[in-house]
Amino acid sequence: MKLLFTLMAACGLMAASIAHAEVDAAAAQAAVKESGCLTCHAVDKKKVGPAFKDVAKKYKGKADGPDHLIKQVTTKPIVDVAGEKTPHKSLKNTDPAAVSNVVQWILSL
Ligand code: HEC
């Protein structure tokens, strides 16, 4: 019984680290599309909001980068949209793994 638990725990850890290491770009792109992010953002050009590539440049390699971006896309901070203070949009799917995948995808650009 104990062995079974150990095995199950080991498998869980392995699955978690695989999920952590790999960005599912297709899922991230689908998420930003269904959440309406692309009205204001594009991957490589500035629209109302910064290009995701510029966001990546700004936060890549920073220890608090992922946390900051997770907050940006889940807690509706007030941003300046064309001179108007507006709550920033959140991702539709706020499942932590899905949010993390979007953030890691942006940082990988
Ligand atoms: C109505 C327009 C609008 C929509 C929709 C929008 N954003 Fe933004 N976003 C902005 C603006 C404006 C900024 C710049 C805010 C600032 O620099 O203070 C921004 C900033 C960001 C940043 C960078 C934050 C930083 O600190 O540099 C990220 C990442 C981001 N948005 C992701 C998203 C995602 C993901 C979505 C969809 C859930 C989304 N945005 C939807 C307007 C928008």
Side-chain angles (χ1 to χ4, degrees):
M1 202 57 190
K2 206 171 166 203
L3 177 67
L4 187 62
F5 273 124
T6 313
L7 274 175
M8 274 162 52
C11 288
L13 273 177
M14 260 160 59
S17 60
I18 289 167
H20 191 75
E22 273 185 38
V23 175
D24 186 340
Q29 280 161 329
V32 296
K33 199 168 168 202
E34 72 154 16
S35 305
C37 316
L38 303 179
T39 329
C40 298
H41 294 279
V43 166
D44 53 11
K45 65 173 196 286
K46 188 179 156 47
K47 291 172 97 176
V48 178
F52 285 147
K53 278 197 171 160
D54 290 333
V55 175
K57 253 187 236 154
K58 196 163 144 195
Y59 294 104
K60 213 177 269 190
K62 291 206 177 141
D64 60 351
D67 278 350
H68 171 84
L69 295 179
I70 286 169
K71 286 207 184 94
Q72 176 81 23
V73 300
T74 54
T75 64
K76 304 191 169 74
I78 300 296
V79 295
D80 198 325
V81 177
E84 241 181 86
K85 302 273 180 236
T86 317
H88 190 261
K89 213 175 180 74
S90 280
L91 287 167
K92 256 195 184 157
N93 180 0
T94 52
D95 174 67
V99 172
S100 170
N101 185 56
V102 170
V103 164
Q104 293 304 331
W105 170 69
I106 292 174
L107 288 170
S108 77
L109 292 170

